[in-house]
Amino acid sequence: MERTLMIVVDPSESLAKAGFVAAFTKAVADNAQSLTKTRIGFGIVGSKNTVILAPTLAHQEVLAEMRRQLSGQTAGLRNVYAAVREGAAAIAQASGERTLVLVSFENGDLEDNVAKTVAVLRRGKIRAEVVTSETTLSDSYWQRNSNYKKPRGTKLVGGDGAIVDVPWGFLFQRQPANEMTPAGYAMWGLTRLAAATDGRVFLYASADQQKHVCAFFGSCLFCSNDHELPDAGWNSALVGQMAPLVSARNDALKELGRDAAFRLVMKIWLAAAKEGLINSQPGIRLRATSAARDRARAGKDLRLLLTGNFARNAKRAEAAARKAAKLRDQLAEAVAHLPPEGVSYRAKATANYMVVLLQLTRVNLLTFAGFCRDYAPQWFDERTGEPLPPEVAPFARDRRPHGIFYENLSLCHGVRPFYEVELPGGPLLRDELMKLDAMFNGFQRRYGKSQFGYALRRNGIARFYPTFPGISKGSVRRRPKSAAPPKGPITPKRPTRRGGGSGPASGPTTGGGE
Amino acid sequence: MRLGAVVLVGVLLTGVSGAQSTLLELVQQLGSDDRRQRTDAYRALQRDRSPQIVGLIAKRIDSFPRVGQELSCNLLRMFPIADTSTVYKQLTAAESAYLRVVGAARLVPTYVGASARARRQRAIKVIAAALAACEADRIMNAVLACRQVVDPPVLAQLRAFLTPDTTAHVATGLLRELLLRERGTSKPTAQAVASLLTSSKPRVKAVAYAYLLRDDPSHGKPLAELLKEKPGVLWWVRDQLPTNKLGEAVIEAIAAGLMSPRSEHDIPRLAVILRQRAPHKLRVALHGLLGHEKEKYREVALKQLASMPGGLNHKDLMEMLQGDALPARIVAAATLRRRDNHAGLDVVLAAAKATGKHRVDAARALSDFRSKKAIPVLLDLLDAQDRAVRTVAWQGLQKTLRSIYPYRKFDFRGCDYDPNQGSRATAIATLRAWWAEAK
């Protein structure tokens, strides 16, 4: 059968490491018989003209050009959707079956116009096949960093769904779990291209991305990097249940707007943000029967960490803990009464996740209150005696703290091991930890082998430290006073992120799951 | 009064000359043919660290037999280069080619900047010429002695050693060094290695194939054939094999090698290769080794299986935990702990309390539990007979306390506990007193 294949490659660092050219060369050699009537073209994302070589039957020529073009990789944000449109235009008139293969490990989150790209592909009756990396669950990174410099006419979105539908930014979580949890899916824009044209998405994960790490931005009290996650192998049926919508963004919003569980999550998320329990508001505005995108505003700041007034901090934290309990109960009650019809598994999982996270926030607030009432004042009280060796006073008693810092002790091993850990908060905290343990285990029983079970483990119990005024130094001049333009790349560079795997610094590639 | 001072000076002088004569004797013993005497002298000088050792060695090193020369060079490295550079300069003109390499190699890093360029070039020439003049059985010692020198003349000399009549030992060592110094493969080295393929020694050929395989996968097939024909050559290439470039046939040969290891150390080394490329074959091979007649092999295979994700299933582990074999019970407890199941804690607690050769493993497993229950037992183990047990217990206790008390700060050095020292009672009493209050 006559076919035309356009390979559009995004030449990133992680692609070079993956050995794409060698793998493609082998694939062409192994399938030489079935490719005799297939014309192959080649394009590069980010070059002035995407199409480097028009479709041809001289496959070796394509391979040679590919080797030449991909010998050096370039870092930076590149618009893959514009490149797909150009690649599609180059094969739109070709005879026979038309397929465009997009190979992009990093830039699926940089969107200019996904709907237009889909329209171009459909008009040319071109099937889009995508080879990419896994993204993170409802990635919130670009909402948190909305001012990041990006190419003109594009926006950074990311995440597996059309919108960020999982609450992020819970109080006392250093890093949103969303950004460290493998989604099991590609970035929404890329999935959309494939889904809208009957194509497929192939996820690539390197071996070093699959190593389990208990905590990326905190520490693990209970292992020495030898933890074997009991639910490391995901249940594909369960992951499928929690799949995001791949319809067009507006259609997805309409559908979500009718989902009772989704509406409930958005309502409680907004309420929790207004109480200061979540530091982000949902970037969604609910209407009567639909939803619309909105700017993701910040939540209320309880100002717990900015002063060394421990008594006042403790009082505020206890008040917030009561509100967390109220919202938790309200949400749990509403989830229990959700109608069986018209509720998506993903939205229901999100609601259940939020119930546990509200309880975790309550535990953290009570730990914080205990820290402020019992621990910190004692550390700086000169009447306190010296501890018995080998213990020593954690700080010099004459120092005056001016704020509080925290890190997260990972929940990767569950809540139960924390029973033995000495935490501030006394018996009340112990009771709340037990409640959290029951909720954690219940959640893991239902969602343990899916992206949501994994996300819950990415959160942590906060461990607090006092902070002290630093010694200020004059800032270093970065650029000389001259009219000469600064040297360096014009294309904005992709920031280094640490995700669900220990892979290269290549955006939200996580390689989790099985 | 004056008489007293004279006596005191006399006593002091006698002491100094006595110490010197002892040092002289020790240095002379470095050149002894008696291995025991040589080693004892070396250890004593290592402990002493007196600067006078440098001068005493300088006078005698060239006359020492080869082992004495190597030990002397090691001792010289203990001292700052400022104190030893004269000796190294002297060595560049020594009779022994090995000593010339050592002398020049130590001086090269000191020749920094444009003004020292000529001296650096001279030193490099000395190294290259001395390497070429080395006796065949001292080549690797000399090569290792100039490890930091990566200048082209030295690398060219290393490549020149790669001839078909070289031994497998030298070929393996040289290629490992060249890979390190050139940070991977290089064309000139690959050309030199190609000449090894004409060698009549299968081991040398295997080493050459392993190197060439890094850049050219076509060398996998002849290597696999060689491994099939002479399975023993696997032990010469196991550390050089590029894991991600191995074909099916080589993997098969490695899996076969794992089934009949030469020693227990072979098992983890081959397992590393198979773990990435053929985990199923690794699992089968390790399960096969569980029935091996040697206990040590069984233990290592079990540990390897336990460290593989999904290597041992829950049912197997629970059966092992309730079985009779203590090593298997400890491994099962540790593996279950890694999977957040503390069912094995009591087993490990009991094993750590009991005396026996598995106490170290039990102490290690126990300290990984990070449990309050472990603390009294670890405190007891601080006074165990076996030094290894004491060391593991001491490290484990620190880990456990830091995990259980994240809001407390510890200064364990302040306890003055040293698992290698005889008097530990005070430190243990201090720790016990703290624990009595904290628990």
Side-chain angles (χ1 to χ4, degrees), chain A residues 8 17 123 140 241 288 317 330 340 362 404 469 487:
Chain A
V8 178
K17 280 186 189 157
R123 207 164 36 238
S140 54
Q241 275 187 350
Q330 193 183 330
R362 177 169 163 76
I404 297 165
K487 285 180 186 172

PDB file of all heavy atoms in Angstrom, chain A residues 8 17 123 140 241 288 317 330 340 362 404 469 487:
ATOM      1  N   VAL A   8       8.680  14.265  12.197  1.00  0.00           N
ATOM      2  CA  VAL A   8       9.029  15.594  12.701  1.00  0.00           C
ATOM      3  C   VAL A   8       9.677  15.407  14.078  1.00  0.00           C
ATOM      4  O   VAL A   8       9.054  14.865  14.996  1.00  0.00           O
ATOM      5  CB  VAL A   8       7.775  16.495  12.801  1.00  0.00           C
ATOM      6  CG1 VAL A   8       8.140  17.855  13.366  1.00  0.00           C
ATOM      7  CG2 VAL A   8       7.133  16.649  11.434  1.00  0.00           C
ATOM      8  N   LYS A  17      19.925  11.401  24.173  1.00  0.00           N
ATOM      9  CA  LYS A  17      20.314  10.359  25.129  1.00  0.00           C
ATOM     10  C   LYS A  17      19.554   9.057  24.871  1.00  0.00           C
ATOM     11  O   LYS A  17      20.029   7.982  25.173  1.00  0.00           O
ATOM     12  CB  LYS A  17      20.041  10.835  26.557  1.00  0.00           C
ATOM     13  CG  LYS A  17      21.126  11.749  27.073  1.00  0.00           C
ATOM     14  CD  LYS A  17      20.884  12.081  28.518  1.00  0.00           C
ATOM     15  CE  LYS A  17      21.834  13.166  28.983  1.00  0.00           C
ATOM     16  NZ  LYS A  17      21.329  13.883  30.141  1.00  0.00           N
ATOM     17  N   ARG A 123      -7.940  18.134   8.059  1.00  0.00           N
ATOM     18  CA  ARG A 123      -8.191  18.579   6.685  1.00  0.00           C
ATOM     19  C   ARG A 123      -7.326  17.774   5.709  1.00  0.00           C
ATOM     20  O   ARG A 123      -7.781  17.401   4.633  1.00  0.00           O
ATOM     21  CB  ARG A 123      -7.875  20.074   6.572  1.00  0.00           C
ATOM     22  CG  ARG A 123      -8.668  20.753   5.482  1.00  0.00           C
ATOM     23  CD  ARG A 123      -8.688  22.267   5.566  1.00  0.00           C
ATOM     24  NE  ARG A 123      -7.460  22.862   6.027  1.00  0.00           N
ATOM     25  CZ  ARG A 123      -7.371  23.646   7.089  1.00  0.00           C
ATOM     26  NH1 ARG A 123      -8.426  23.908   7.821  1.00  0.00           N
ATOM     27  NH2 ARG A 123      -6.218  24.182   7.443  1.00  0.00           N
ATOM     28  N   SER A 140       0.982  21.406  37.625  1.00  0.00           N
ATOM     29  CA  SER A 140       0.666  22.784  38.020  1.00  0.00           C
ATOM     30  C   SER A 140       1.868  23.719  37.877  1.00  0.00           C
ATOM     31  O   SER A 140       1.771  24.899  38.211  1.00  0.00           O
ATOM     32  CB  SER A 140       0.202  22.781  39.485  1.00  0.00           C
ATOM     33  OG  SER A 140       1.171  22.141  40.286  1.00  0.00           O
ATOM     34  N   GLN A 241      -9.030   4.177  34.126  1.00  0.00           N
ATOM     35  CA  GLN A 241     -10.227   4.809  34.724  1.00  0.00           C
ATOM     36  C   GLN A 241      -9.977   6.281  35.047  1.00  0.00           C
ATOM     37  O   GLN A 241     -10.860   7.109  34.952  1.00  0.00           O
ATOM     38  CB  GLN A 241     -10.585   4.095  36.032  1.00  0.00           C
ATOM     39  CG  GLN A 241     -11.428   2.874  35.875  1.00  0.00           C
ATOM     40  CD  GLN A 241     -11.870   2.338  37.228  1.00  0.00           C
ATOM     41  OE1 GLN A 241     -11.395   2.771  38.269  1.00  0.00           O
ATOM     42  NE2 GLN A 241     -12.788   1.393  37.207  1.00  0.00           N
ATOM     43  N   ALA A 288     -23.372  27.742  35.478  1.00  0.00           N
ATOM     44  CA  ALA A 288     -24.533  26.941  35.885  1.00  0.00           C
ATOM     45  C   ALA A 288     -24.368  25.472  35.500  1.00  0.00           C
ATOM     46  O   ALA A 288     -24.511  24.579  36.336  1.00  0.00           O
ATOM     47  CB  ALA A 288     -25.793  27.522  35.268  1.00  0.00           C
ATOM     48  N   ALA A 317      -2.650  28.782  63.680  1.00  0.00           N
ATOM     49  CA  ALA A 317      -2.596  27.431  63.111  1.00  0.00           C
ATOM     50  C   ALA A 317      -3.724  26.574  63.655  1.00  0.00           C
ATOM     51  O   ALA A 317      -4.341  25.799  62.908  1.00  0.00           O
ATOM     52  CB  ALA A 317      -1.244  26.794  63.427  1.00  0.00           C
ATOM     53  N   GLN A 330     -17.042  18.240  55.429  1.00  0.00           N
ATOM     54  CA  GLN A 330     -18.028  18.691  54.441  1.00  0.00           C
ATOM     55  C   GLN A 330     -17.803  17.964  53.107  1.00  0.00           C
ATOM     56  O   GLN A 330     -18.744  17.469  52.491  1.00  0.00           O
ATOM     57  CB  GLN A 330     -17.848  20.210  54.250  1.00  0.00           C
ATOM     58  CG  GLN A 330     -18.962  20.889  53.506  1.00  0.00           C
ATOM     59  CD  GLN A 330     -18.633  22.374  53.302  1.00  0.00           C
ATOM     60  OE1 GLN A 330     -17.930  22.980  54.126  1.00  0.00           O
ATOM     61  NE2 GLN A 330     -19.121  22.939  52.223  1.00  0.00           N
ATOM     62  N   PRO A 340     -24.455   8.118  41.563  1.00  0.00           N
ATOM     63  CA  PRO A 340     -23.632   7.130  40.855  1.00  0.00           C
ATOM     64  C   PRO A 340     -23.434   7.468  39.374  1.00  0.00           C
ATOM     65  O   PRO A 340     -22.448   7.062  38.764  1.00  0.00           O
ATOM     66  CB  PRO A 340     -24.408   5.818  41.024  1.00  0.00           C
ATOM     67  CG  PRO A 340     -25.799   6.222  41.359  1.00  0.00           C
ATOM     68  CD  PRO A 340     -25.754   7.566  41.991  1.00  0.00           C
ATOM     69  N   ARG A 362      -4.417  19.349  58.208  1.00  0.00           N
ATOM     70  CA  ARG A 362      -4.770  19.517  59.635  1.00  0.00           C
ATOM     71  C   ARG A 362      -3.640  18.973  60.528  1.00  0.00           C
ATOM     72  O   ARG A 362      -3.241  19.623  61.492  1.00  0.00           O
ATOM     73  CB  ARG A 362      -6.095  18.789  59.911  1.00  0.00           C
ATOM     74  CG  ARG A 362      -6.539  18.831  61.355  1.00  0.00           C
ATOM     75  CD  ARG A 362      -7.961  18.329  61.516  1.00  0.00           C
ATOM     76  NE  ARG A 362      -8.247  17.985  62.894  1.00  0.00           N
ATOM     77  CZ  ARG A 362      -8.481  18.863  63.871  1.00  0.00           C
ATOM     78  NH1 ARG A 362      -8.482  20.147  63.595  1.00  0.00           N
ATOM     79  NH2 ARG A 362      -8.721  18.459  65.090  1.00  0.00           N
ATOM     80  N   ILE A 404       9.946  30.971  60.289  1.00  0.00           N
ATOM     81  CA  ILE A 404       9.932  29.512  60.370  1.00  0.00           C
ATOM     82  C   ILE A 404      10.052  28.944  58.959  1.00  0.00           C
ATOM     83  O   ILE A 404       9.483  29.480  58.009  1.00  0.00           O
ATOM     84  CB  ILE A 404       8.621  29.013  61.044  1.00  0.00           C
ATOM     85  CG1 ILE A 404       8.582  29.533  62.481  1.00  0.00           C
ATOM     86  CG2 ILE A 404       8.533  27.494  61.042  1.00  0.00           C
ATOM     87  CD1 ILE A 404       7.230  29.444  63.132  1.00  0.00           C
ATOM     88  N   PRO A 469      17.828  35.944  60.968  1.00  0.00           N
ATOM     89  CA  PRO A 469      18.182  36.963  59.974  1.00  0.00           C
ATOM     90  C   PRO A 469      19.546  36.641  59.358  1.00  0.00           C
ATOM     91  O   PRO A 469      20.467  36.239  60.067  1.00  0.00           O
ATOM     92  CB  PRO A 469      18.249  38.269  60.765  1.00  0.00           C
ATOM     93  CG  PRO A 469      17.749  37.963  62.120  1.00  0.00           C
ATOM     94  CD  PRO A 469      17.711  36.497  62.320  1.00  0.00           C
ATOM     95  N   LYS A 487      25.138  38.298  25.395  1.00  0.00           N
ATOM     96  CA  LYS A 487      25.337  37.055  24.650  1.00  0.00           C
ATOM     97  C   LYS A 487      24.448  35.983  25.268  1.00  0.00           C
ATOM     98  O   LYS A 487      24.137  36.023  26.436  1.00  0.00           O
ATOM     99  CB  LYS A 487      26.801  36.632  24.772  1.00  0.00           C
ATOM    100  CG  LYS A 487      27.715  37.475  23.917  1.00  0.00           C
ATOM    101  CD  LYS A 487      29.137  37.014  24.082  1.00  0.00           C
ATOM    102  CE  LYS A 487      30.062  37.953  23.343  1.00  0.00           C
ATOM    103  NZ  LYS A 487      31.448  37.664  23.615  1.00  0.00           N
TER     104      LYS A 487
END
